[in-house]
Amino acid sequence: RLVLTLGGSATNDGGLGALQALGCTVYAADGTELDPGAGGGDLAWVWHMDLPEPSPFARFPLRIATDTANP
């Protein structure tokens, strides 16, 4: 089981860095791949994402724990 902990300033990239660390490829509208190390600065440019096959999320149950109630 994977427990992903989120909260406070740790979530300012919308989870983009965590997705990229799990193998997700993120693209801008012009088709260029966004830099995995950019963090939240690239969030506004996200246009499309590709998850690897098989998805890393399919291998284990995923739980998300947070200390905030931010929509």
Side-chain angles (χ1 to χ4, degrees), residues 13-58:
D13 72 348
L16 185 61
L19 286 170
Q20 289 172 308
L22 288 169
C24 183
T25 307
V26 183
Y27 299 96
D30 65 1
T32 58
E33 184 178 345
L34 296 179
D35 178 12
D42 275 349
L43 193 57
W45 305 111
V46 173
W47 186 260
H48 175 78
M49 294 184 208
D50 284 328
L51 284 173
E53 290 292 333
S55 170
F57 302 108

mmCIF file of all heavy atoms in Angstrom, residues 13-58:
data_model
loop_
_atom_site.group_PDB
_atom_site.id
_atom_site.type_symbol
_atom_site.label_atom_id
_atom_site.label_comp_id
_atom_site.label_asym_id
_atom_site.label_seq_id
_atom_site.Cartn_x
_atom_site.Cartn_y
_atom_site.Cartn_z
ATOM 1 N N ASP A 13 2.318 22.262 -5.982
ATOM 2 C CA ASP A 13 2.465 21.923 -7.396
ATOM 3 C C ASP A 13 1.325 21.046 -7.882
ATOM 4 O O ASP A 13 1.372 20.503 -8.979
ATOM 5 C CB ASP A 13 3.814 21.261 -7.674
ATOM 6 C CG ASP A 13 3.920 19.845 -7.129
ATOM 7 O OD1 ASP A 13 3.048 19.442 -6.335
ATOM 8 O OD2 ASP A 13 4.866 19.148 -7.507
ATOM 9 N N GLY A 14 0.287 20.898 -7.077
ATOM 10 C CA GLY A 14 -0.858 20.103 -7.481
ATOM 11 C C GLY A 14 -0.566 18.626 -7.614
ATOM 12 O O GLY A 14 -1.316 17.895 -8.244
ATOM 13 N N GLY A 15 0.543 18.160 -7.065
ATOM 14 C CA GLY A 15 0.928 16.764 -7.186
ATOM 15 C C GLY A 15 1.704 16.458 -8.456
ATOM 16 O O GLY A 15 2.027 15.310 -8.745
ATOM 17 N N LEU A 16 2.043 17.487 -9.233
ATOM 18 C CA LEU A 16 2.735 17.293 -10.504
ATOM 19 C C LEU A 16 4.071 16.590 -10.319
ATOM 20 O O LEU A 16 4.392 15.650 -11.051
ATOM 21 C CB LEU A 16 2.942 18.646 -11.199
ATOM 22 C CG LEU A 16 3.543 18.614 -12.587
ATOM 23 C CD1 LEU A 16 2.640 17.842 -13.547
ATOM 24 C CD2 LEU A 16 3.742 20.031 -13.098
ATOM 25 N N GLY A 17 4.843 16.993 -9.336
ATOM 26 C CA GLY A 17 6.144 16.371 -9.090
ATOM 27 C C GLY A 17 6.018 14.907 -8.720
ATOM 28 O O GLY A 17 6.797 14.068 -9.170
ATOM 29 N N ALA A 18 5.017 14.572 -7.908
ATOM 30 C CA ALA A 18 4.804 13.178 -7.522
ATOM 31 C C ALA A 18 4.416 12.336 -8.730
ATOM 32 O O ALA A 18 4.897 11.217 -8.902
ATOM 33 C CB ALA A 18 3.725 13.088 -6.444
ATOM 34 N N LEU A 19 3.539 12.868 -9.579
ATOM 35 C CA LEU A 19 3.160 12.145 -10.794
ATOM 36 C C LEU A 19 4.364 11.894 -11.697
ATOM 37 O O LEU A 19 4.539 10.798 -12.230
ATOM 38 C CB LEU A 19 2.090 12.920 -11.565
ATOM 39 C CG LEU A 19 0.691 12.886 -10.963
ATOM 40 C CD1 LEU A 19 -0.213 13.881 -11.691
ATOM 41 C CD2 LEU A 19 0.117 11.493 -11.048
ATOM 42 N N GLN A 20 5.205 12.916 -11.855
ATOM 43 C CA GLN A 20 6.392 12.752 -12.698
ATOM 44 C C GLN A 20 7.359 11.746 -12.087
ATOM 45 O O GLN A 20 7.972 10.958 -12.806
ATOM 46 C CB GLN A 20 7.060 14.101 -12.937
ATOM 47 C CG GLN A 20 6.231 14.982 -13.870
ATOM 48 C CD GLN A 20 6.768 16.388 -13.978
ATOM 49 O OE1 GLN A 20 6.997 17.056 -12.978
ATOM 50 N NE2 GLN A 20 6.970 16.843 -15.204
ATOM 51 N N ALA A 21 7.488 11.737 -10.771
ATOM 52 C CA ALA A 21 8.363 10.771 -10.113
ATOM 53 C C ALA A 21 7.867 9.339 -10.300
ATOM 54 O O ALA A 21 8.660 8.406 -10.329
ATOM 55 C CB ALA A 21 8.481 11.099 -8.625
ATOM 56 N N LEU A 22 6.563 9.177 -10.468
ATOM 57 C CA LEU A 22 5.985 7.856 -10.694
ATOM 58 C C LEU A 22 5.975 7.470 -12.177
ATOM 59 O O LEU A 22 5.427 6.437 -12.538
ATOM 60 C CB LEU A 22 4.562 7.805 -10.129
ATOM 61 C CG LEU A 22 4.490 7.791 -8.606
ATOM 62 C CD1 LEU A 22 3.058 8.018 -8.141
ATOM 63 C CD2 LEU A 22 5.030 6.481 -8.057
ATOM 64 N N GLY A 23 6.566 8.305 -13.017
ATOM 65 C CA GLY A 23 6.694 7.944 -14.429
ATOM 66 C C GLY A 23 5.754 8.639 -15.380
ATOM 67 O O GLY A 23 5.746 8.347 -16.575
ATOM 68 N N CYS A 24 4.952 9.549 -14.900
ATOM 69 C CA CYS A 24 4.039 10.289 -15.762
ATOM 70 C C CYS A 24 4.833 11.288 -16.608
ATOM 71 O O CYS A 24 5.703 11.990 -16.099
ATOM 72 C CB CYS A 24 3.019 11.029 -14.907
ATOM 73 S SG CYS A 24 1.777 11.925 -15.840
ATOM 74 N N THR A 25 4.543 11.345 -17.892
ATOM 75 C CA THR A 25 5.163 12.324 -18.774
ATOM 76 C C THR A 25 4.166 13.460 -18.979
ATOM 77 O O THR A 25 3.010 13.215 -19.303
ATOM 78 C CB THR A 25 5.526 11.701 -20.138
ATOM 79 O OG1 THR A 25 6.314 10.537 -19.905
ATOM 80 C CG2 THR A 25 6.318 12.674 -20.984
ATOM 81 N N VAL A 26 4.616 14.690 -18.769
ATOM 82 C CA VAL A 26 3.731 15.852 -18.808
ATOM 83 C C VAL A 26 4.159 16.754 -19.961
ATOM 84 O O VAL A 26 5.341 17.047 -20.135
ATOM 85 C CB VAL A 26 3.789 16.625 -17.466
ATOM 86 C CG1 VAL A 26 2.828 17.782 -17.469
ATOM 87 C CG2 VAL A 26 3.494 15.694 -16.299
ATOM 88 N N TYR A 27 3.170 17.209 -20.738
ATOM 89 C CA TYR A 27 3.444 17.996 -21.942
ATOM 90 C C TYR A 27 2.762 19.354 -21.901
ATOM 91 O O TYR A 27 1.672 19.496 -21.347
ATOM 92 C CB TYR A 27 2.942 17.255 -23.178
ATOM 93 C CG TYR A 27 3.586 15.918 -23.392
ATOM 94 C CD1 TYR A 27 2.983 14.759 -22.946
ATOM 95 C CD2 TYR A 27 4.817 15.812 -24.036
ATOM 96 C CE1 TYR A 27 3.573 13.524 -23.127
ATOM 97 C CE2 TYR A 27 5.414 14.580 -24.222
ATOM 98 C CZ TYR A 27 4.788 13.439 -23.770
ATOM 99 O OH TYR A 27 5.374 12.218 -23.955
ATOM 100 N N ALA A 28 3.392 20.320 -22.536
ATOM 101 C CA ALA A 28 2.801 21.637 -22.755
ATOM 102 C C ALA A 28 1.945 21.579 -24.021
ATOM 103 O O ALA A 28 1.977 20.595 -24.769
ATOM 104 C CB ALA A 28 3.899 22.689 -22.910
ATOM 105 N N ALA A 29 1.187 22.637 -24.301
ATOM 106 C CA ALA A 29 0.296 22.672 -25.463
ATOM 107 C C ALA A 29 1.052 22.525 -26.776
ATOM 108 O O ALA A 29 0.515 22.004 -27.747
ATOM 109 C CB ALA A 29 -0.510 23.975 -25.462
ATOM 110 N N ASP A 30 2.320 22.951 -26.830
ATOM 111 C CA ASP A 30 3.096 22.839 -28.069
ATOM 112 C C ASP A 30 3.737 21.466 -28.242
ATOM 113 O O ASP A 30 4.483 21.223 -29.185
ATOM 114 C CB ASP A 30 4.147 23.939 -28.162
ATOM 115 C CG ASP A 30 5.224 23.838 -27.082
ATOM 116 O OD1 ASP A 30 5.179 22.895 -26.259
ATOM 117 O OD2 ASP A 30 6.110 24.716 -27.067
ATOM 118 N N GLY A 31 3.472 20.533 -27.303
ATOM 119 C CA GLY A 31 3.978 19.171 -27.407
ATOM 120 C C GLY A 31 5.314 18.931 -26.741
ATOM 121 O O GLY A 31 5.791 17.801 -26.713
ATOM 122 N N THR A 32 5.938 19.965 -26.182
ATOM 123 C CA THR A 32 7.214 19.760 -25.501
ATOM 124 C C THR A 32 6.973 19.172 -24.111
ATOM 125 O O THR A 32 5.985 19.478 -23.450
ATOM 126 C CB THR A 32 8.007 21.076 -25.359
ATOM 127 O OG1 THR A 32 7.221 22.026 -24.633
ATOM 128 C CG2 THR A 32 8.374 21.641 -26.713
ATOM 129 N N GLU A 33 7.905 18.326 -23.689
ATOM 130 C CA GLU A 33 7.815 17.721 -22.366
ATOM 131 C C GLU A 33 8.245 18.733 -21.318
ATOM 132 O O GLU A 33 9.264 19.412 -21.472
ATOM 133 C CB GLU A 33 8.695 16.481 -22.294
ATOM 134 C CG GLU A 33 8.579 15.743 -20.989
ATOM 135 C CD GLU A 33 9.420 14.474 -20.942
ATOM 136 O OE1 GLU A 33 9.872 14.007 -22.001
ATOM 137 O OE2 GLU A 33 9.628 13.966 -19.830
ATOM 138 N N LEU A 34 7.461 18.846 -20.243
ATOM 139 C CA LEU A 34 7.802 19.769 -19.165
ATOM 140 C C LEU A 34 8.885 19.155 -18.289
ATOM 141 O O LEU A 34 8.926 17.946 -18.061
ATOM 142 C CB LEU A 34 6.565 20.100 -18.339
ATOM 143 C CG LEU A 34 5.458 20.838 -19.092
ATOM 144 C CD1 LEU A 34 4.269 21.083 -18.183
ATOM 145 C CD2 LEU A 34 5.959 22.150 -19.661
ATOM 146 N N ASP A 35 9.763 19.996 -17.783
ATOM 147 C CA ASP A 35 10.888 19.584 -16.954
ATOM 148 C C ASP A 35 10.399 18.978 -15.645
ATOM 149 O O ASP A 35 9.682 19.636 -14.892
ATOM 150 C CB ASP A 35 11.765 20.808 -16.674
ATOM 151 C CG ASP A 35 12.952 20.509 -15.774
ATOM 152 O OD1 ASP A 35 13.244 19.320 -15.526
ATOM 153 O OD2 ASP A 35 13.595 21.472 -15.337
ATOM 154 N N PRO A 36 10.769 17.729 -15.353
ATOM 155 C CA PRO A 36 10.323 17.089 -14.106
ATOM 156 C C PRO A 36 10.785 17.817 -12.849
ATOM 157 O O PRO A 36 10.183 17.673 -11.809
ATOM 158 C CB PRO A 36 10.939 15.691 -14.170
ATOM 159 C CG PRO A 36 11.198 15.449 -15.601
ATOM 160 C CD PRO A 36 11.505 16.797 -16.198
ATOM 161 N N GLY A 37 11.831 18.605 -12.929
ATOM 162 C CA GLY A 37 12.343 19.297 -11.753
ATOM 163 C C GLY A 37 11.792 20.690 -11.546
ATOM 164 O O GLY A 37 12.169 21.374 -10.607
ATOM 165 N N ALA A 38 10.881 21.133 -12.395
ATOM 166 C CA ALA A 38 10.404 22.521 -12.326
ATOM 167 C C ALA A 38 9.428 22.768 -11.190
ATOM 168 O O ALA A 38 9.275 23.886 -10.736
ATOM 169 C CB ALA A 38 9.769 22.922 -13.650
ATOM 170 N N GLY A 39 8.733 21.727 -10.735
ATOM 171 C CA GLY A 39 7.777 21.898 -9.644
ATOM 172 C C GLY A 39 6.544 22.668 -10.068
ATOM 173 O O GLY A 39 6.099 22.582 -11.199
ATOM 174 N N GLY A 40 5.995 23.432 -9.137
ATOM 175 C CA GLY A 40 4.751 24.153 -9.364
ATOM 176 C C GLY A 40 4.814 25.217 -10.426
ATOM 177 O O GLY A 40 3.790 25.638 -10.947
ATOM 178 N N GLY A 41 6.028 25.655 -10.786
ATOM 179 C CA GLY A 41 6.165 26.694 -11.803
ATOM 180 C C GLY A 41 5.619 26.288 -13.158
ATOM 181 O O GLY A 41 5.189 27.130 -13.939
ATOM 182 N N ASP A 42 5.609 24.996 -13.448
ATOM 183 C CA ASP A 42 5.107 24.514 -14.730
ATOM 184 C C ASP A 42 3.630 24.155 -14.710
ATOM 185 O O ASP A 42 3.058 23.832 -15.751
ATOM 186 C CB ASP A 42 5.900 23.282 -15.184
ATOM 187 C CG ASP A 42 7.168 23.635 -15.921
ATOM 188 O OD1 ASP A 42 7.349 24.824 -16.264
ATOM 189 O OD2 ASP A 42 7.979 22.731 -16.166
ATOM 190 N N LEU A 43 2.992 24.205 -13.571
ATOM 191 C CA LEU A 43 1.611 23.757 -13.454
ATOM 192 C C LEU A 43 0.683 24.480 -14.433
ATOM 193 O O LEU A 43 -0.212 23.868 -15.017
ATOM 194 C CB LEU A 43 1.122 23.945 -12.016
ATOM 195 C CG LEU A 43 -0.182 23.272 -11.633
ATOM 196 C CD1 LEU A 43 -0.118 21.763 -11.892
ATOM 197 C CD2 LEU A 43 -0.506 23.524 -10.181
ATOM 198 N N ALA A 44 0.904 25.752 -14.656
ATOM 199 C CA ALA A 44 0.049 26.523 -15.562
ATOM 200 C C ALA A 44 0.200 26.099 -17.019
ATOM 201 O O ALA A 44 -0.669 26.389 -17.833
ATOM 202 C CB ALA A 44 0.358 28.016 -15.430
ATOM 203 N N TRP A 45 1.278 25.390 -17.352
ATOM 204 C CA TRP A 45 1.535 25.017 -18.741
ATOM 205 C C TRP A 45 1.109 23.593 -19.078
ATOM 206 O O TRP A 45 1.212 23.156 -20.219
ATOM 207 C CB TRP A 45 3.026 25.183 -19.057
ATOM 208 C CG TRP A 45 3.498 26.560 -18.745
ATOM 209 C CD1 TRP A 45 4.350 26.925 -17.742
ATOM 210 C CD2 TRP A 45 3.124 27.776 -19.400
ATOM 211 N NE1 TRP A 45 4.526 28.277 -17.741
ATOM 212 C CE2 TRP A 45 3.782 28.827 -18.748
ATOM 213 C CE3 TRP A 45 2.276 28.069 -20.468
ATOM 214 C CZ2 TRP A 45 3.628 30.158 -19.134
ATOM 215 C CZ3 TRP A 45 2.123 29.388 -20.847
ATOM 216 C CH2 TRP A 45 2.804 30.410 -20.183
ATOM 217 N N VAL A 46 0.613 22.847 -18.083
ATOM 218 C CA VAL A 46 0.236 21.452 -18.316
ATOM 219 C C VAL A 46 -0.934 21.384 -19.289
ATOM 220 O O VAL A 46 -1.970 22.017 -19.090
ATOM 221 C CB VAL A 46 -0.141 20.745 -16.992
ATOM 222 C CG1 VAL A 46 -0.687 19.351 -17.261
ATOM 223 C CG2 VAL A 46 1.059 20.693 -16.067
ATOM 224 N N TRP A 47 -0.747 20.617 -20.346
ATOM 225 C CA TRP A 47 -1.784 20.450 -21.355
ATOM 226 C C TRP A 47 -2.225 18.990 -21.458
ATOM 227 O O TRP A 47 -3.391 18.692 -21.669
ATOM 228 C CB TRP A 47 -1.264 20.939 -22.703
ATOM 229 C CG TRP A 47 -2.285 20.942 -23.785
ATOM 230 C CD1 TRP A 47 -2.454 20.012 -24.757
ATOM 231 C CD2 TRP A 47 -3.295 21.922 -24.004
ATOM 232 N NE1 TRP A 47 -3.502 20.347 -25.568
ATOM 233 C CE2 TRP A 47 -4.038 21.534 -25.129
ATOM 234 C CE3 TRP A 47 -3.642 23.110 -23.352
ATOM 235 C CZ2 TRP A 47 -5.096 22.272 -25.618
ATOM 236 C CZ3 TRP A 47 -4.701 23.846 -23.845
ATOM 237 C CH2 TRP A 47 -5.411 23.428 -24.965
ATOM 238 N N HIS A 48 -1.268 18.073 -21.304
ATOM 239 C CA HIS A 48 -1.560 16.654 -21.489
ATOM 240 C C HIS A 48 -0.593 15.837 -20.633
ATOM 241 O O HIS A 48 0.555 16.233 -20.449
ATOM 242 C CB HIS A 48 -1.392 16.288 -22.968
ATOM 243 C CG HIS A 48 -1.562 14.839 -23.257
ATOM 244 N ND1 HIS A 48 -2.792 14.243 -23.328
ATOM 245 C CD2 HIS A 48 -0.660 13.865 -23.498
ATOM 246 C CE1 HIS A 48 -2.632 12.956 -23.603
ATOM 247 N NE2 HIS A 48 -1.346 12.700 -23.708
ATOM 248 N N MET A 49 -1.062 14.695 -20.129
ATOM 249 C CA MET A 49 -0.208 13.788 -19.349
ATOM 250 C C MET A 49 -0.376 12.370 -19.869
ATOM 251 O O MET A 49 -1.472 11.959 -20.227
ATOM 252 C CB MET A 49 -0.600 13.799 -17.874
ATOM 253 C CG MET A 49 -0.376 15.087 -17.166
ATOM 254 S SD MET A 49 -0.786 14.863 -15.427
ATOM 255 C CE MET A 49 -1.266 16.524 -15.006
ATOM 256 N N ASP A 50 0.731 11.635 -19.887
ATOM 257 C CA ASP A 50 0.715 10.218 -20.237
ATOM 258 C C ASP A 50 1.261 9.420 -19.068
ATOM 259 O O ASP A 50 2.376 9.672 -18.616
ATOM 260 C CB ASP A 50 1.596 9.931 -21.458
ATOM 261 C CG ASP A 50 0.961 10.363 -22.753
ATOM 262 O OD1 ASP A 50 -0.277 10.311 -22.856
ATOM 263 O OD2 ASP A 50 1.704 10.752 -23.678
ATOM 264 N N LEU A 51 0.480 8.463 -18.584
ATOM 265 C CA LEU A 51 0.959 7.551 -17.555
ATOM 266 C C LEU A 51 1.638 6.369 -18.228
ATOM 267 O O LEU A 51 1.214 5.945 -19.303
ATOM 268 C CB LEU A 51 -0.198 7.040 -16.695
ATOM 269 C CG LEU A 51 -0.751 8.009 -15.667
ATOM 270 C CD1 LEU A 51 -1.994 7.423 -15.012
ATOM 271 C CD2 LEU A 51 0.286 8.318 -14.599
ATOM 272 N N PRO A 52 2.683 5.836 -17.618
ATOM 273 C CA PRO A 52 3.347 4.674 -18.195
ATOM 274 C C PRO A 52 2.419 3.457 -18.171
ATOM 275 O O PRO A 52 1.509 3.376 -17.366
ATOM 276 C CB PRO A 52 4.563 4.463 -17.305
ATOM 277 C CG PRO A 52 4.181 5.066 -16.001
ATOM 278 C CD PRO A 52 3.259 6.214 -16.332
ATOM 279 N N GLU A 53 2.665 2.546 -19.059
ATOM 280 C CA GLU A 53 1.916 1.290 -19.076
ATOM 281 C C GLU A 53 2.825 0.175 -18.597
ATOM 282 O O GLU A 53 3.931 0.040 -19.113
ATOM 283 C CB GLU A 53 1.429 0.969 -20.494
ATOM 284 C CG GLU A 53 0.337 1.888 -20.971
ATOM 285 C CD GLU A 53 -0.975 1.709 -20.210
ATOM 286 O OE1 GLU A 53 -1.240 0.597 -19.698
ATOM 287 O OE2 GLU A 53 -1.717 2.682 -20.113
ATOM 288 N N PRO A 54 2.474 -0.634 -17.690
ATOM 289 C CA PRO A 54 1.249 -0.505 -16.903
ATOM 290 C C PRO A 54 1.376 0.633 -15.899
ATOM 291 O O PRO A 54 2.472 0.976 -15.482
ATOM 292 C CB PRO A 54 1.138 -1.848 -16.186
ATOM 293 C CG PRO A 54 2.550 -2.306 -16.041
ATOM 294 C CD PRO A 54 3.270 -1.778 -17.263
ATOM 295 N N SER A 55 0.273 1.196 -15.543
ATOM 296 C CA SER A 55 0.259 2.309 -14.607
ATOM 297 C C SER A 55 0.830 1.875 -13.256
ATOM 298 O O SER A 55 0.470 0.820 -12.743
ATOM 299 C CB SER A 55 -1.169 2.808 -14.411
ATOM 300 O OG SER A 55 -1.224 3.720 -13.333
ATOM 301 N N PRO A 56 1.721 2.687 -12.677
ATOM 302 C CA PRO A 56 2.235 2.340 -11.341
ATOM 303 C C PRO A 56 1.139 2.331 -10.285
ATOM 304 O O PRO A 56 1.272 1.698 -9.252
ATOM 305 C CB PRO A 56 3.275 3.425 -11.060
ATOM 306 C CG PRO A 56 2.909 4.552 -11.943
ATOM 307 C CD PRO A 56 2.250 3.946 -13.153
ATOM 308 N N PHE A 57 0.038 2.998 -10.560
ATOM 309 C CA PHE A 57 -1.067 3.042 -9.606
ATOM 310 C C PHE A 57 -1.843 1.734 -9.566
ATOM 311 O O PHE A 57 -2.556 1.462 -8.622
ATOM 312 C CB PHE A 57 -2.021 4.188 -9.948
ATOM 313 C CG PHE A 57 -1.351 5.518 -9.956
ATOM 314 C CD1 PHE A 57 -1.119 6.179 -11.143
ATOM 315 C CD2 PHE A 57 -0.918 6.104 -8.780
ATOM 316 C CE1 PHE A 57 -0.488 7.408 -11.154
ATOM 317 C CE2 PHE A 57 -0.289 7.328 -8.783
ATOM 318 C CZ PHE A 57 -0.074 7.984 -9.978
ATOM 319 N N ALA A 58 -1.708 0.902 -10.581
ATOM 320 C CA ALA A 58 -2.449 -0.355 -10.642
ATOM 321 C C ALA A 58 -1.823 -1.434 -9.762
ATOM 322 O O ALA A 58 -2.460 -2.431 -9.478
ATOM 323 C CB ALA A 58 -2.514 -0.842 -12.085
#
